[in-house]
Amino acid sequence: SGRPVPINKPVVGEAAFCHESGIHCQGILKNRATYELFPAHLVGYQTPNFVLGKHSGTSSLNNILGNLGVEMPKQEAKTLLKKVKKLAVAKKGALTSEEVRELYHQMGS
């Protein structure tokens, strides 16, 4: 039809496969079927799609950092996660990969 699909549309909207909650992300990493009833690629999306925000946990943070080519010790990841959550609350939304990368580099300074 040429009409854009709203991001919050059930089943086919992009947000249907977007995960922020720490326990959801951890479950998805172990077994996608935990929180996704069917594979996202059936409706044209990649999975897992994690965003970092005030509800995120270290599993999703480590996954996103891994995609950026970064590995962190557990304690440093916890420290970075606190900064991620603080920034997410301040901006009232999820962080981009670039914002996470910037926070990571600030920790090294």
Side-chain angles (χ1 to χ4, degrees):
S1 69
R3 293 173 41 189
V5 176
I7 192 170
N8 61 343
K9 181 79 171 171
V11 180
V12 296
E14 185 177 358
F17 300 97
C18 192
H19 306 279
E20 177 187 344
S21 169
I23 194 149
H24 282 209
C25 295
Q26 189 173 27
I28 292 288
L29 286 169
K30 290 180 181 177
N31 180 358
R32 289 183 184 178
T34 305
Y35 290 103
E36 294 181 357
L37 300 177
F38 57 89
H41 73 272
L42 292 178
V43 290
Y45 295 109
Q46 297 289 324
T47 189
N49 182 17
F50 300 143
V51 295
L52 292 174
K54 65 181 182 179
H55 301 293
S56 296
T58 54
S59 294
S60 52
L61 175 62
N62 286 329
N63 181 270
I64 289 174
L65 288 174
N67 291 338
L68 295 172
V70 175
E71 288 188 33
M72 292 186 86
K74 192 173 188 174
Q75 194 56 43
E76 286 182 28
K78 286 182 179 183
T79 301
L80 179 58
L81 183 61
K82 288 178 186 177
K83 294 175 187 265
V84 164
K85 289 181 177 193
K86 184 177 180 180
L87 182 57
V89 168
K91 78 177 256 189
K92 297 181 181 177
L95 275 59
T96 65
S97 293
E98 282 304 311
E99 290 170 320
V100 174
R101 185 189 316 262
E102 180 64 28
L103 285 175
Y104 169 75
H105 287 301
Q106 287 175 5
M107 281 184 60
S109 304

